[in-house]
Amino acid sequence: MKKIVFLLLTLLAFAKGNSQILDPVKWTTKIEKKSDQHYLLTFNGVIDKDWHMYSQFTPDGGPLPMEVIFKNQKGNYNLIGKAKEGKTTTEFNDVFGVNETFFKNTAQIQQEITILNPRNSSVEVALNYQVCKESCINLEKKFTFTIPAIDTVKVEEKVVKSDSVTAAAAISKTEISKESDVIPTKPATEKGLWSIFFIAFLSGFAALLTPCVFPMIPMTVSFFTKQSKSKAKGIENAIIYGVSIILIYVILGLLVTWIFGADALNALSTNVWFNLIFFLLLIFFAASFLGAFEIMLPNSWANKVDSQADRGGIIGILFMALALAIVSFSCTGPIVGTLLVQAASKGGIAPIIGMLGFSSALALPFMLFAMFPGWLHSLPKSGGWLNTVKVVLGFLELALAFKFLSNADLVLQLHLLEREVFLAIWIAIFGTLAFYLFGKITLPHDSPLPHISVGRLLFGLLVLTFTVYLIPGLWGAPLKLINAFPPPIEYSESPMGFGGSGNEKTTAILPEGAKFGAHGIVVFDDYDKGLAYAKSVNKPVMLDFTGFACVNCRKMENNVWSDPRVLSILNNEVVLISLYVDDKRDLPKAEQFTSKSTGSEIITVGDKWTDFMISKYKTNTQPLYVLTDINGNSLNKSMPTISYTNVDEYESWLKTGISKFIK
């Protein structure tokens, strides 16, 4: 009986360690005839629970965006615009530092075409996409649409058996409708919009505490108190005034969305010129806040609007709100501009939500103090502290500006603003801000400062603490609190920083074909060279099936490989070979072949490693880790492979395999 129990446990462990060929998206297609030469092609996908598939509009530098490739287009048909997508979700990815866009539960892609060659009866399309859960899979699916004759039924729908790197089973329409009826979870877009609203709301309060806005509160309240014939009328006017402020800024958000389009700026977010322009724009805003000059709208605008405010009634109050927006522009303009840049780059209605949050915070105090004038006595008096708020905002704008410059540098791969340089700039900015808060530095519009307040001292200590926290990043510390802002550790003068405990590695002679990877680990990206080196040093091999655009691969490297226990093993006890399944470099013609496992054409380096993973380890997910001996045999017999996991399980798996190699 004990032997049977032991056998069952062994089989369960083996099942856990062995993945399977996964295909989390099931597709059907539809072709709709619009006119004799005009057709609409539709791809409908049902995505397995908890998985998500990346959109065409996920920016470069992040997860792998979908590609819709038309194979036999030339001379046969023309595409009408870019392929359109159904409902997607956009979220900030703190690993890659981009706003990724993806499908959950269901996906729809539509492409309109015009037929040029009536003799051509088919349209061949390939979808290349990445789908992720705890692991990621890169898939290619091929479809063939048959162009119906002129007098055939208008809409022909069929289930497509796709030729792909996985054996995808055909599914029926009934199965699709059942899966589509699953109630989706709360869209992540809502979370993203709430975060935009919250950040914009806080920015509105920050704008309120600037010298252009704060002194206007008692002036405005005094106006309503004198002009209103009764308390009820005063409250009514105050509410109208607050709503007018909100309306003005929301209209501004609407204009940005209308002019640029809901997703246009999202597509520009990784554009080099976009990032360079906004780098310069934020430097301009920062200089204004620091006191170099004031950004002013023409005085004639304010005079004309102010004259209309005397008309009284709702129109007069609306013009008063507009006058506030114009007069306070020198302080609110840079904040509003920065918010619009950040919100618009997320696409959709984000600019409207951002302006709603900002204006709500700005309008609320004016409304409340106009309703309850007695509260004015509790307001702090205007003074030099207002300029301090403005200067702090200037330093924050300056720090944010270099994020845009870093984005441009990463896209161009110029290595001008590598991680160490970026961190050095931030250390200088926040260190200078700390000195300013401690009163050691003064700027043009500062009042004399005989002493600093307790609040200013505490805030200065907080900024100084953050500055000190940044310094170890120069030596290769991961800095997880700000992981989304600086360039990745690999994008640096040295993967180990400079002058750190691992500095001896930077001067060591690397083995042929090796390089420094995450956390300064020596890594090979060629299987044969890595295996040859493992034989020469008599160490086990750890195969790392990964991807440049694999978010969970980066999470494993950042959170698990960085642990001292795991890092020591990877540095000293194994030879690491990282095989990138999304490496788009073409193989030499002599090395290209047709896969015996999947029947797919193996053309690129990534195709080669994908086929290797599928044919040998019967899985297509990344990250995937395998420990082998120098002959390529798996060392962990009960759990040959492991994927996305925690530090303890990963360390245990490594030690188990290495102990078998030693024996």
Side-chain angles (χ1 to χ4, degrees):
M1 182 66 182
K2 288 182 179 179
K3 289 183 178 180
I4 294 173
V5 171
F6 177 77
L7 180 61
L8 287 172
L9 290 173
T10 302
L11 288 171
L12 284 171
F14 182 82
K16 181 182 179 183
N18 280 275
S19 304
Q20 57 181 338
I21 305 298
L22 296 177
D23 186 20
V25 187
K26 307 300 184 294
W27 293 96
T28 59
T29 63
K30 173 171 78 170
I31 180 167
E32 182 177 353
K33 184 177 178 184
K34 297 290 189 180
S35 67
D36 284 351
Q37 289 82 34
H38 185 192
Y39 291 87
L40 176 66
L41 313 180
T42 301
F43 307 81
N44 288 310
V46 177
I47 306 170
D48 288 352
K49 186 179 179 183
D50 297 329
W51 289 82
H52 59 276
M53 178 177 68
Y54 290 104
S55 150
Q56 302 169 91
F57 305 109
T58 283
D60 293 338
L64 199 67
M66 173 184 285
E67 293 180 292
V68 185
I69 303 169
F70 290 83
K71 300 282 189 178
N72 61 332
Q73 180 184 348
K74 188 174 181 180
N76 292 321
Y77 56 91
N78 280 338
L79 307 181
I80 303 175
K82 188 176 176 66
K84 296 180 180 178
E85 297 183 348
K87 184 179 179 182
T88 57
T89 294
T90 299
E91 267 189 353
F92 185 74
N93 185 318
D94 58 2
V95 174
F96 291 118
V98 299
N99 296 305
E100 61 184 21
T101 302
F102 53 89
F103 299 94
K104 290 187 73 173
N105 302 316
T106 59
Q108 185 177 80
I109 309 292
Q110 290 187 317
Q111 176 68 62
E112 293 185 59
I113 64 170
T114 300
I115 300 298
L116 301 177
N117 180 9
R119 296 181 181 180
N120 179 58
S121 61
S122 66
V123 175
E124 297 173 8
V125 190
L127 295 183
N128 293 337
Y129 56 90
Q130 186 178 75
V131 57
C132 295
K133 189 172 68 169
E134 289 182 348
S135 55
C136 293
I137 306 170
N138 300 333
L139 292 171
E140 180 186 65
K141 297 295 181 70
K142 297 177 182 178
F143 305 87
T144 299
F145 290 85
T146 301
I147 306 298
I150 293 175
D151 296 323
T152 55
V153 179
K154 187 177 182 182
V155 177
E156 175 189 337
E157 184 162 359
K158 63 177 180 178
V159 175
V160 173
K161 294 183 179 180
S162 60
D163 173 17
S164 68
V165 293
T166 63
I171 57 172
S172 68
K173 297 177 193 175
T174 307
E175 289 173 322
I176 289 179
S177 62
K178 286 181 180 178
E179 286 202 47
S180 299
D181 290 338
V182 175
I183 298 174
T185 55
K186 186 177 181 180
T189 305
E190 293 183 20
K191 298 177 185 177
L193 292 177
W194 275 112
S195 66
I196 291 169
F197 179 87
F198 182 69
I199 292 169
F201 193 81
L202 292 179
S203 300
F205 272 124
L208 188 72
L209 300 177
T210 58
C212 314
V213 182
F214 190 82
M216 296 186 70
I217 296 176
M219 293 168 55
T220 305
V221 171
S222 175
F223 174 84
F224 281 125
T225 304
K226 291 177 181 178
Q227 296 296 322
S228 303
K229 297 179 180 179
S230 64
K231 184 177 180 180
K233 188 64 176 176
I235 292 174
E236 179 186 331
N237 288 341
I239 292 172
I240 295 171
Y241 182 68
V243 170
S244 299
I245 293 172
I246 293 172
L247 188 62
I248 288 166
Y249 284 99
V250 169
I251 289 173
L252 179 60
L254 279 167
L255 285 173
V256 169
T257 304
W258 177 68
I259 292 170
F260 292 102
D263 297 305
L265 287 180
N266 175 260
L268 285 173
S269 61
T270 55
N271 180 275
V272 173
W273 289 109
F274 174 93
N275 282 284
L276 288 176
I277 288 168
F278 281 106
F279 163 71
L280 295 173
L281 187 63
L282 292 185
I283 292 290
F284 179 76
F285 289 160
S288 172
F289 271 155
L290 293 173
F293 50 82
E294 286 195 3
I295 304 171
M296 300 285 291
L297 292 176
N299 288 329
S300 58
W301 291 15
N303 294 334
K304 288 179 181 178
V305 169
D306 194 49
S307 65
Q308 294 296 320
D310 296 330
R311 294 172 58 178
I314 294 177
I315 298 298
I317 294 173
L318 179 62
F319 276 102
M320 277 188 64
L322 186 57
L324 170 69
I326 293 172
V327 172
S328 64
F329 185 79
S330 61
C331 291
T332 59
I335 300 175
V336 169
T338 305
L339 279 174
L340 284 173
V341 171
Q342 293 289 76
S345 65
K346 295 181 184 297
I349 62 169
I352 301 169
I353 298 298
M355 289 300 93
L356 178 62
F358 177 83
S359 58
S360 297
L362 196 65
L364 191 60
F366 284 94
M367 292 170 59
L368 291 175
F369 284 110
M371 291 178 185
F372 309 101
W375 290 6
L376 284 174
H377 300 296
S378 62
L379 273 180
K381 293 182 179 180
S382 299
W385 67 273
L386 291 174
N387 191 65
T388 301
V389 173
K390 191 176 177 183
V391 169
V392 169
L393 291 174
F395 276 103
L396 294 177
E397 294 264 4
L398 193 59
L400 183 60
F402 283 94
K403 173 59 179 172
F404 285 92
L405 185 61
S406 173
N407 288 345
D409 184 57
L410 283 166
V411 171
L412 293 175
Q413 289 289 297
L414 296 176
H415 288 266
L416 297 176
L417 196 63
E418 293 177 316
R419 186 178 177 88
E420 293 91 344
V421 178
F422 183 95
L423 290 175
I425 292 170
W426 267 36
I427 290 167
I429 291 171
F430 287 102
T432 305
L433 174 57
F435 277 109
Y436 173 80
L437 291 170
F438 292 141
K440 302 301 181 183
I441 297 173
T442 57
L443 289 170
H445 299 295
D446 286 332
S447 303
L449 190 67
H451 63 273
I452 61 172
S453 65
V454 174
R456 182 165 174 162
L457 173 65
L458 293 176
F459 186 55
L461 288 173
L462 180 64
V463 173
L464 182 60
T465 301
F466 178 68
T467 305
V468 173
Y469 169 78
L470 293 177
I471 293 173
L474 298 172
W475 281 265
L479 303 180
K480 294 180 182 179
L481 288 179
I482 59 163
N483 191 46
F485 286 92
I489 291 176
E490 294 79 12
Y491 195 79
S492 59
E493 294 180 7
S494 167
M496 293 297 292
F498 55 88
S501 59
N503 192 51
E504 64 275 5
K505 285 193 170 186
T506 64
T507 58
I509 299 174
L510 284 168
E512 183 184 356
K515 62 181 180 180
F516 290 117
H519 314 295
I521 303 168
V522 176
V523 59
F524 293 83
D525 58 11
D526 183 278
Y527 179 75
D528 294 328
K529 290 179 180 179
L531 189 60
Y533 178 73
K535 290 178 180 178
S536 70
V537 296
N538 194 34
K539 286 183 179 180
V541 170
M542 193 185 85
L543 295 179
D544 163 34
F545 290 97
T546 183
F548 296 112
C550 172
V551 64
N552 289 326
C553 303
R554 300 294 85 77
K555 286 181 179 178
M556 282 292 292
E557 291 164 11
N558 292 341
N559 301 326
V560 176
W561 287 16
S562 62
D563 185 274
R565 294 169 292 167
V566 173
L567 189 58
S568 175
I569 295 172
L570 297 180
N571 270 324
N572 304 307
E573 300 182 44
V574 300
V575 173
L576 177 62
I577 304 176
S578 292
L579 305 176
Y580 289 84
V581 300
D582 55 0
D583 190 333
K584 299 299 183 183
R585 291 176 297 162
D586 286 338
L587 289 166
K589 288 290 184 182
E591 296 180 22
Q592 296 179 10
F593 62 96
T594 300
S595 170
K596 294 179 181 179
S597 301
T598 65
S600 298
E601 294 179 357
I602 306 304
I603 298 172
T604 67
V605 174
D607 293 341
K608 177 182 176 180
W609 302 135
T610 299
D611 185 65
F612 178 38
M613 177 173 52
I614 291 172
S615 59
K616 189 167 180 67
Y617 300 108
K618 311 304 178 188
T619 184
N620 59 340
T621 64
Q622 305 88 47
L624 186 77
Y625 308 104
V626 187
L627 269 175
T628 76
D629 61 21
I630 55 178
N631 296 314
N633 301 312
S634 297
L635 292 171
N636 298 67
K637 299 299 182 183
S638 60
M639 190 185 292
T641 66
I642 196 169
S643 186
Y644 190 80
T645 186
N646 57 48
V647 172
D648 291 336
E649 186 176 9
Y650 196 72
E651 181 195 19
S652 174
W653 178 81
L654 284 171
K655 287 182 174 179
T656 301
I658 292 169
S659 67
K660 300 290 176 60
F661 180 82
I662 295 171
K663 290 178 181 179

